[in-house]
Amino acid sequence: YKWYKISRILYMHHIPVLPGVIKALIRVLWAAVIPYQADIGEGTIIGYQGLGVVIHKRCVIGKNCHISQNVTLGGTSNIYEVPMVGDNVTIGAGANIIGPVTIGDNAVIGAGAVVVTDIPANSIAVGVPAKVVKFI
């Protein structure tokens, strides 16, 4: 997250080459794609230094989220919208959140879940495809 944050600040200040260099280093060192164009909120933790994490460049991730290893937040072909993640969301290892989905505040996405529909706030979603199993 620290490397992402530096590249994001450089990008927001219209410094041209360095954000791309940092993105490439993240890719090489941790096998992760965490683009500087993505809007990731303060206090968000990307577990295990982002190992295997893939985030679409148009994703918006709220504050104080926890994203475990091997998580994908990505788009689908021919659809412009990408996942939007609320504040205080926990995403378990290996989860995939694909397409124009919104994850509500304080939600928990279980490990290995495949989310293709919206998940409401204050809920726990698990399975393939992910379904809400409990409200918290």
Side-chain angles (χ1 to χ4, degrees):
Y1 181 80
K2 291 176 186 175
W3 286 43
Y4 155 79
K5 198 64 178 168
I6 292 167
S7 66
R8 177 76 176 171
I9 290 168
L10 294 170
Y11 171 70
M12 296 304 285
H13 285 89
H14 306 287
I15 297 172
V17 176
L18 291 177
V21 171
I22 293 171
K23 178 184 171 188
L25 285 171
I26 291 170
R27 175 78 169 104
V28 170
L29 294 174
W30 292 288
V33 178
I34 305 172
Y36 52 85
Q37 298 97 327
D39 187 3
I40 302 174
E42 292 294 326
T44 293
I45 296 170
I46 301 175
Y48 295 95
Q49 294 82 35
L51 186 62
V53 171
V54 177
I55 299 174
H56 193 282
K57 69 180 182 178
R58 289 190 309 271
C59 277
V60 176
I61 300 169
K63 298 177 185 172
N64 303 312
C65 293
H66 184 271
I67 301 172
S68 295
Q69 70 275 13
N70 294 315
V71 167
T72 298
L73 298 165
T76 57
S77 299
N78 302 319
I79 298 176
Y80 183 79
E81 292 82 13
V82 295
M84 307 285 277
V85 178
D87 296 335
N88 306 307
V89 172
T90 300
I91 303 173
N96 294 289
I97 302 173
I98 306 296
V101 251
T102 300
I103 309 298
D105 294 344
N106 307 307
V108 176
I109 308 300
V114 177
V115 179
V116 292
T117 59
D118 292 347
I119 302 298
N122 304 306
S123 62
I124 299 173
V126 297
V128 179
K131 294 185 181 359
V132 174
V133 293
K134 183 177 180 181
F135 283 93
I136 48 178

